[in-house]
Amino acid sequence: MSYSNFKNIVVLVPTLNEAQGIAEVIDGFKKQGVGEIIVADGGSSDKTREIARKHGAKVLAVPRGKGNGMRSCLSQIKIDPNKIYVMIDGDASYSSSELPLLLNKIAGADVVIGRRHKLVHDFKSFIHVLGNLTISLAGSLFYFTWNPDICTGYWAFTGKALQKIAPRLSSKGFELEADLFSNICRLGLKLNAVRVSYIERKGDSKLVSLDSIPITLKLVENRFKHF
């Protein structure tokens, strides 16, 4: 089924010093006619916020840390159960033009992730790919739900699903995606995945190898947490 009501889409973009990529991300979604683009900025010291506003996005000031920022963002907006919410990184590593791929998978599902084509362009990216593969396999076994790319930065949620997920999130940093996945599983929501392209980010990466520790710990913590 082809999704056509792009005015019903709200795009959420967590940022911290993404001046090199944020304009491309926003412009790509605007060309498709999405209803609203919200940049959740965790205190950028570059021109991320100014560029985002200039290109037509709404900018929210949120605490630093991807998890902190998205939790704050979701608490500041009213989640409409009749809309679709898309979360994407602001570094232009994902293509906004591939939004229809996710939306066409949302029918019959609660959440859709963009499963990345694995791009290895240097040793650091190889380590990240290997770490994500390990986390995805472990998390899938731990929650009895196959997720080929737990750490992806491209997600789509129905408003009804996001209303259920948002109050349960507790992540502070890069464990956000693990927090999302584990709560999706525990809530019994249906997850779909679709292949998306993935290119080298614009700007410096904030993710380091040690971030795999809180990501893994969040999967374990949520597995035994009481609702």
Side-chain angles (χ1 to χ4, degrees), residues 20-225:
Q20 295 185 47
I22 191 62
E24 181 179 331
V25 174
I26 294 170
D27 290 347
F29 284 117
K30 286 182 71 68
K31 287 178 181 177
Q32 296 184 79
V34 302
E36 187 175 16
I37 302 170
I38 300 173
V39 169
D41 187 74
S44 292
S45 57
D46 62 8
K47 294 186 179 298
T48 298
R49 286 169 290 180
E50 293 89 332
I51 294 170
R53 291 190 184 100
K54 181 179 179 180
H55 286 258
K58 178 180 180 180
V59 178
L60 297 180
V62 298
R64 183 165 296 210
K66 192 174 185 180
N68 287 330
M70 284 309 301
R71 289 192 295 112
S72 176
C73 173
L74 294 173
S75 72
Q76 292 184 55
I77 66 174
K78 182 178 180 180
I79 301 173
D80 187 333
N82 298 310
K83 291 187 176 182
I84 303 295
Y85 291 80
V86 174
M87 185 183 81
I88 189 171
D89 289 346
D91 57 13
S93 56
Y94 300 88
S95 175
S96 52
S97 67
E98 294 182 338
L99 174 61
L101 297 178
L102 278 74
L103 299 181
N104 290 341
K105 282 282 190 177
I106 204 76
D110 299 296
V111 182
V112 178
I113 63 164
R115 178 184 182 183
R116 293 169 286 182
H117 290 292
K118 303 304 181 186
L119 176 67
V120 177
H121 49 80
D122 55 24
F123 182 72
K124 185 176 181 179
S125 64
F126 170 74
I127 295 298
H128 287 172
V129 167
L130 184 61
N132 180 53
L133 177 60
T134 303
I135 289 169
S136 296
L137 289 173
S140 296
L141 289 171
F142 210 42
Y143 286 90
F144 306 106
T145 301
W146 174 235
N147 184 336
D149 194 0
I150 285 179
C151 297
T152 180
Y154 209 169
W155 297 67
F157 309 83
T158 65
K160 290 181 180 178
L162 194 57
Q163 283 182 327
K164 296 176 182 178
I165 297 166
R168 304 186 185 278
L169 297 176
S170 58
S171 53
K172 296 180 179 179
F174 287 114
E175 71 274 22
L176 171 63
E177 287 80 7
D179 202 10
L180 288 167
F181 171 65
S182 54
N183 278 291
I184 288 165
C185 294
R186 296 199 64 189
L187 286 164
L189 300 175
K190 183 176 179 180
L191 177 72
N192 277 345
V194 63
R195 286 275 192 181
V196 296
S197 58
Y198 184 67
I199 63 173
E200 187 174 357
R201 77 179 331 274
K202 294 187 177 179
D204 297 327
S205 175
K206 291 87 179 174
L207 186 70
V208 298
S209 298
L210 289 177
D211 286 318
S212 62
I213 296 174
I215 292 171
T216 303
L217 290 176
K218 179 56 68 177
L219 289 170
V220 175
E221 174 192 339
N222 285 357
R223 184 67 179 85
F224 299 104
K225 182 188 291 186

